Structure formats: structure tokens, C-alpha cells
């Protein structure tokens, strides 16, 4: 992993990764912790969906089925980043839809060269030309979604030849000297592949630096609840990650457990929040309700004054260490109704969907399995969430 990072990464990309993401990210997380101790709140970082547009139609995608797709204005995006930097946070996750369909994207990356961006992409548009533009920016690393083999990927992603196109995207990114990650949303249809040594070795062979495991969360027009993992399967995934961290040549990342193996929710901790393409501030991408909009007032004031976000954080901590959408969707529907939060899904039926959705297991349902690797334990407890060091 270190050999790949030090000798095959573009020099500019490596510098930006170490300084913008590493050093400034750690300082930003420290400031976040100090704010919490003073009873103040502003997230350590933001997930920002810049557009609802996408060229695929994935199972469990939160932007599918909207009555009208939204695209964040460049002015809104610039203001969000600028106001977040003023609080000492310089790391951003850029999502969609497919963010490579957002035309002002590279102008934003260049303007905010003092920040670091993680680009969540399905990879189908990551051509050699796009990879070169990312390399020239230096402050972006692509996180490429990888949802299954030739058969599973097309079903999961609602497209054609998605597996081959994703493989090519990985090659384009690594050949350009980019720090490249792969994300897989683990569900019943891809569990065996996700846990296989062959899958992990194939990523090592392609020059991938890190692998980010998600647990499939049922949301959106095509929620497909039957794909959710059961408790035993969640334990298998957790044990796999703990063991892999002791021997894999990949950096193994998750967003669900702390160093002691306890479940965590970034939204409940206040570590991160999601701003959707319409400008609504959501607790996370799958909780599609909001009481606040970025155009209402400055972000600092929103996070100071939002009873919805403050009270949801407190209630989630008491309810579960897992995902409330999965473990008690009916409770969530009642909570957002109590606070008059708007349905920010763009489908106008999210509360009804939650009330009809069966409860399923999440990472909060599994066995507590502590980290074995001391470095990962230290990073999870002392570093920031960004590329998984905390989560």
C-alpha cells in the first residue's frame, strides 16, 4: 500500500492528499471535537450532492424517482464550501446522482485548491481525459462504486456492461496517478464477492489504494428491502474487515463501527451531514427530510439554531447505534412529522414509504467485534472520519 502511494501516485496528488486531506483534515477534526466540548455544533465535514442527474438507475438509490431533478447552483456550492472552511473544515464528499454530470465541478475543485474532495462516482464517465483533469487538480480522489460481477452489477446498477466499464474506470484513474478508492455497498447479491480474497487481490493488482465497505440501505423509489443483510451476514462482514485489516495490502474502510467495535452513526454524532442538490440540509443521504435550507441563513447559524438537527442527534443516540432508517423507519416518520420537516426526497411520499417499510437489521444489530489492528484502533479513535480513519 505504501509503495503504491509513494511511488505510483502523481507528486501533486500525493502532496495535496498529505497536506489538504491529512494534516488539515486532522486539524479540522480537532476543531470539531473542541466545538462539541463547548456545547457548539458544526459538522467536521459535509457530504454534498451536486446533482440528481445520473446515467444509471441503481437499486436503493436515494435520487431515483424524483418528480424533477435538481442541480445545485455553482454559487450555492461555492458558498457552502467557503462557509465550511471558515469553521476550519476542508474535506468534502461530492455525490450525486453522478457528480461527473455536473458541469461546474472542475471549476469548483480548482477554485478551492486548499480543500480536499472525495468524488463518489459510478465510474462509467471516468475516461482517461477526465482522469487527467482530476490529476491536474490534485486535490480530488475518485471513490468508484463497484457493486458486483458481470451479472450482479447490471442488475444492481440498472445499466449495461457496468462491470467492464467500472474496471476500465479504475485503470484510467490509477494510470493517471490518482489516489483511487473502490466502494462496495454490501448486500445479499454481492456478499460472497465482497468478502472474497480474489476480489480484494484484483483491486490490489489494479493499483487501488483503499476499499470502502458500506452496508446496503434500502431507500428511494427502488428500495429493494430484500437485499438487506441479516444479523449473521453483518457479523460476517464485520469479522472480515477486522481480519483483513491485519493482513490486506488495501486500506480497509468502513463508516459504521468505532475502534472498540461499537456501532456508530455519523449523523447522530454530528460528524457529518448531507446537503442535497436542492440545497436542503439532511442528517444523512438516506434520511430524506429537512427543516433547514442553505439559502435560509449562514450555515453556522443554521447548525446553532436548528431544533430538528439538535433533537434528532439526541434522540438517535438514545434509539440505536445503527441506522434508524433500517431499524425503526416508523419512528423516524413520526419524528419528522412532529418537527414539520419537509420531504426532501423529491418524491413526496417518503414518510409513507417509511411507515410501510419492514424493520431490518443494520450495523447496530450485530455483535461487538473490536479492532485487532492497533493502528486502525488508534486512527478510529483519534483521527477524523474522512477516508475512514475515524469511522
Amino acid at each position: 500500500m505504501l509503495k503504491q502511494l509513494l511511488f505510483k501516485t502523481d507528486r501533486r496528488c500525493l502532496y495535496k492528499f498529505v497536506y489538504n486531506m491529512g494534516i488539515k483534515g486532522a486539524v479540522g477534526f480537532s476543531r470539531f471535537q473542541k466545538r462539541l466540548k463547548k456545547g457548539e455544533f458544526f459538522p467536521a465535514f459535509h457530504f454534498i450532492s451536486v446533482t440528481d442527474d445520473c446515467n444509471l438507475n441503481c437499486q436503493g438509490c436515494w435520487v431515483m424517482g424524483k418528480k424533477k431533478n435538481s442541480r445545485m447552483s455553482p454559487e450555492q456550492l461555492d458558498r457552502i464550501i467557503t462557509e465550511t472552511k471558515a469553521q476550519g473544515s476542508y474535506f468534502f464528499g461530492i455525490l450525486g446522482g453522478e457528480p461527473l454530470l455536473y458541469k461546474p465541478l472542475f471549476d469548483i475543485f480548482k477554485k478551492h485548491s486548499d480543500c480536499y474532495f472525495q468524488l463518489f462516482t459510478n465510474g462509467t464517465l471516468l475516461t482517461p481525459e477526465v482522469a487527467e483533469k482530476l490529476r491536474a487538480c490534485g486535490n480530488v480522489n475518485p471513490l468508484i462504486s463497484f457493486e458486483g460481477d458481470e451479472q450482479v452489477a447490471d442488475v444492481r446498477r440498472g445499466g449495461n456492461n457496468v462491470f467492464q466499464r467500472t474496471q476500465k474506470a479504475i485503470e484510467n484513474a490509477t494510470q493517471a496517478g490518482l489516489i483511487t478508492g473502490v466502494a462496495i455497498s454490501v448486500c445479499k447479491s454481492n456478499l460472497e464477492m465482497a468478502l472474497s480474497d480474489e476480489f480484494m487481490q484484483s483491486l490490489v493488482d489494479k493499483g487501488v489504494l483503499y476499499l470502502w465497505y458500506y452496508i446496503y440501505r434500502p431507500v428511494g423509489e427502488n428500495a429493494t428491502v430484500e437485499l438487506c443483510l441479516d444479523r449473521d451476514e453483518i457479523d460476517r462482514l464485520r469479522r472480515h474487515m477486522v481480519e483483513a485489516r491485519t493482513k490486506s495490502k488495501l486500506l480497509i474502510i468502513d463508516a459504521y463501527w468505532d475502534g472498540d467495535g461499537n456501532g456508530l452513526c455519523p449523523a447522530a454524532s454530528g460528524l457529518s451531514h448531507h446537503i442535497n442538490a436542492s440545497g436542503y440540509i439532511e442528517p444523512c443521504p438516506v434520511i430524506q427530510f429537512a427543516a433547514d435550507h442553505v439559502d435560509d441563513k449562514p450555515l453556522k447559524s443554521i447548525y446553532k439554531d436548528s431544533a430538528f438537527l439538535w433533537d434528532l442527534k439526541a434522540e438517535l443516540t438514545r434509539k440505536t447505534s445503527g441506522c434508524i432508517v433500517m431499524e425503526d423507519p416508523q419512528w423516524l416518520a413520526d419524528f419528522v412529522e412532529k418537527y414539520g420537516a419537509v420531504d426532501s426526497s423529491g418524491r413526496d411520499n417518503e414518510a409513507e414509504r417509511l411507515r410501510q417499510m419492514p424493520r431490518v437489521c443494520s450495523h447496530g444489530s450485530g455483535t461487538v467485534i473490536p479492532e485487532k489492528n492497533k493502528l486502525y484502533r488508534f486512527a478510529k479513535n483519534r483521527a477524523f472520519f474522512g477516508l475512514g480513519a475515524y469511522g
Side-chain angles (χ1 to χ4, degrees):
M1 182 176 63
L2 286 175
K3 181 180 178 181
Q4 174 70 28
L5 180 65
L6 295 175
F7 299 109
K8 296 188 178 181
T9 302
D10 175 82
R11 295 296 94 184
R12 177 179 172 81
C13 293
L14 180 59
Y15 169 78
K16 291 284 188 178
F17 176 77
V18 172
Y19 184 67
N20 288 16
M21 192 295 204
I23 296 174
K24 294 172 77 173
V27 172
F29 180 65
S30 177
R31 290 178 177 175
F32 164 76
Q33 291 178 311
K34 290 178 181 178
R35 288 193 292 269
L36 290 182
K37 289 180 180 179
K38 293 189 293 184
E40 300 173 356
F41 167 58
F42 192 98
F45 69 97
H46 283 108
F47 286 127
I48 307 172
S49 289
V50 294
T51 181
D52 292 330
D53 297 332
C54 191
N55 59 334
L56 296 178
N57 185 14
C58 300
Q59 294 169 321
C61 177
W62 58 79
V63 304
M64 290 295 105
K66 293 196 173 195
K67 294 182 178 179
K68 182 180 179 180
N69 283 359
S70 296
R71 299 166 198 85
M72 184 174 287
S73 72
E75 294 77 19
Q76 281 179 322
L77 182 55
D78 178 66
R79 177 159 43 86
I80 292 166
I81 294 172
T82 299
E83 292 183 12
T84 303
K85 289 195 296 185
Q87 300 303 309
S89 297
Y90 292 83
F91 178 85
F92 300 88
I94 302 298
L95 302 84
E98 171 49 54
L100 287 175
L101 289 171
Y102 183 69
K103 292 183 179 179
L105 188 63
F106 288 94
D107 292 335
I108 292 292
F109 291 158
K110 292 175 184 177
K111 181 174 183 178
H112 294 280
S113 60
D114 56 341
C115 295
Y116 201 82
F117 299 94
Q118 190 173 35
L119 182 68
F120 291 69
T121 175
N122 62 43
T124 59
L125 303 177
L126 211 168
T127 63
E129 293 75 22
V130 169
E132 176 56 28
K133 290 173 70 175
L134 292 172
R135 187 203 63 78
C137 291
N139 60 337
V140 190
N141 86 73
L143 179 60
I144 302 168
S145 297
F146 199 110
E147 298 301 325
D149 57 22
E150 289 93 337
Q151 289 74 40
V152 173
D154 283 0
V155 175
R156 284 278 290 111
R157 307 311 295 264
N160 296 316
N161 300 316
V162 175
F163 177 81
Q164 291 83 0
R165 294 156 72 189
T166 304
Q167 296 271 29
K168 184 60 179 175
I170 295 172
E171 294 172 4
N172 292 339
T174 56
Q175 288 174 8
L178 300 177
I179 292 172
T180 304
V182 163
I184 182 166
S185 178
V186 185
C187 62
K188 288 187 181 295
S189 64
N190 64 20
L191 177 64
E192 298 306 323
M193 187 203 76
L195 305 189
S196 69
D197 292 337
E198 292 78 13
F199 170 62
M200 298 179 68
Q201 186 59 47
S202 72
L203 301 181
V204 172
D205 294 342
K206 287 182 171 61
V208 171
L209 182 66
Y210 66 98
L211 171 59
W212 195 332
Y213 284 108
Y214 293 88
I215 291 176
Y216 178 83
R217 293 170 294 177
V219 68
E221 180 185 41
N222 187 16
T224 323
V225 176
E226 58 270 21
L227 287 177
C228 293
L229 302 178
D230 61 32
R231 184 175 285 104
D232 290 341
E233 289 166 334
I234 290 171
D235 284 350
R236 280 188 64 196
L237 173 61
R238 174 62 182 161
R239 289 192 178 91
H240 166 78
M241 289 189 293
V242 168
E243 292 298 328
R245 285 176 174 139
T246 67
K247 59 187 178 182
S248 176
K249 295 180 181 179
L250 292 166
L251 187 62
I252 306 297
I253 296 170
D254 69 80
Y256 300 112
W257 291 277
D258 65 18
D260 296 322
N262 300 303
L264 61 84
C265 169
S269 69
L271 193 60
S272 68
H273 282 318
H274 176 244
I275 302 177
N276 75 6
S278 300
Y280 285 108
I281 301 174
E282 301 170 336
C284 76
V286 299
I287 299 180
Q288 296 190 288
F289 298 93
D292 308 280
H293 191 280
V294 295
D295 290 341
D296 292 343
K297 51 188 175 181
L299 287 176
K300 183 178 180 181
S301 297
I302 289 175
Y303 287 123
K304 177 184 176 182
D305 300 334
S306 177
F308 172 67
L309 292 175
W310 276 98
D311 291 355
L312 182 62
K313 274 167 18 74
E315 290 296 326
L316 286 180
T317 302
R318 288 190 281 266
K319 285 290 294 183
T320 178
S321 62
C323 176
I324 193 67
V325 171
M326 302 172 74
E327 295 194 3
D328 201 341
Q330 295 79 19
W331 177 89
L332 179 59
D334 292 339
F335 180 90
V336 298
E337 184 178 86
K338 173 184 174 182
Y339 282 82
V342 302
D343 183 339
S344 52
S345 71
R347 294 180 296 273
D348 297 335
N349 65 346
E350 186 63 5
E352 179 184 353
R353 186 190 73 82
L354 290 175
R355 288 196 169 97
Q356 295 177 358
M357 176 180 152
R359 298 185 184 191
V360 293
C361 294
S362 82
H363 58 285
S365 311
T367 305
V368 175
I369 304 172
E371 295 290 341
K372 292 183 178 180
N373 186 300
K374 292 181 180 180
L375 180 60
Y376 276 92
R377 286 178 65 90
F378 175 83
K380 283 195 168 201
N381 293 329
R382 300 296 296 274
F384 91 122
F385 177 71
L387 284 173
Y390 178 82

